[in-house]
Amino acid sequence: MSNERARRFAEYVGLELKGMIASTKGVTANGVAHTMGRQQATFNRWLNGKSEIPLSVACQACEVIGTESKDLVGRAYDRMVAELGEADGDPGLVGEELERKLRRIRDGRN
């Protein structure tokens, strides 16, 4: 995996976690940060892809919201492939195909 793909994957993990938190009834990002003993500003930087979220934090957040870490990683990977293509050079999706795939990923319907 190139450095750019790795950086983008880490960004997508944060963004997908943000979406998972938002779709969990009665849960907020600030509440998750508080439960985990994390600073809200730092947690929000991770969720917004401004800095790479540590794997241990992503796993802990998944436990707090009652979801599987593998689902988070799978959604982030699917998003990366949809936007950047496969590592083997496949160009991935473009235009409307990309938008449909991203909507399915956000809705948890890969």
Side-chain angles (χ1 to χ4, degrees):
M1 184 178 285
S2 72
N3 286 341
E4 176 63 12
R5 287 178 68 80
R7 186 193 65 72
R8 294 285 292 274
F9 178 71
E11 176 185 344
Y12 296 149
V13 169
L15 293 171
E16 289 300 327
L17 179 58
K18 179 180 181 179
M20 293 170 104
I21 290 170
S23 67
T24 304
K25 188 173 177 138
V27 176
T28 65
N30 289 340
V32 173
H34 178 76
T35 299
M36 294 171 48
R38 301 288 179 168
Q39 294 290 326
Q40 291 177 1
T42 301
F43 194 65
N44 285 326
R45 277 194 300 277
W46 291 328
L47 295 181
N48 290 311
K50 302 299 181 194
S51 58
E52 292 183 13
I53 186 169
L55 186 55
S56 60
V57 172
C59 290
Q60 185 181 15
C62 285
E63 289 179 3
V64 169
I65 65 172
T67 192
E68 296 288 333
S69 300
K70 67 179 180 166
D71 295 334
L72 170 63
V73 171
R75 287 173 61 167
Y77 182 80
D78 288 345
R79 184 172 180 173
M80 181 185 67
V81 169
E83 292 191 18
L84 302 177
E86 294 285 352
D88 64 5
D90 182 324
L93 304 174
V94 294
E96 290 180 19
E97 283 183 292
L98 174 60
E99 290 302 316
R100 280 193 299 275
K101 178 67 174 180
L102 292 175
R103 270 194 300 277
R104 286 193 307 270
I105 292 168
R106 280 191 295 271
D107 294 342
R109 298 180 287 130
N110 300 12

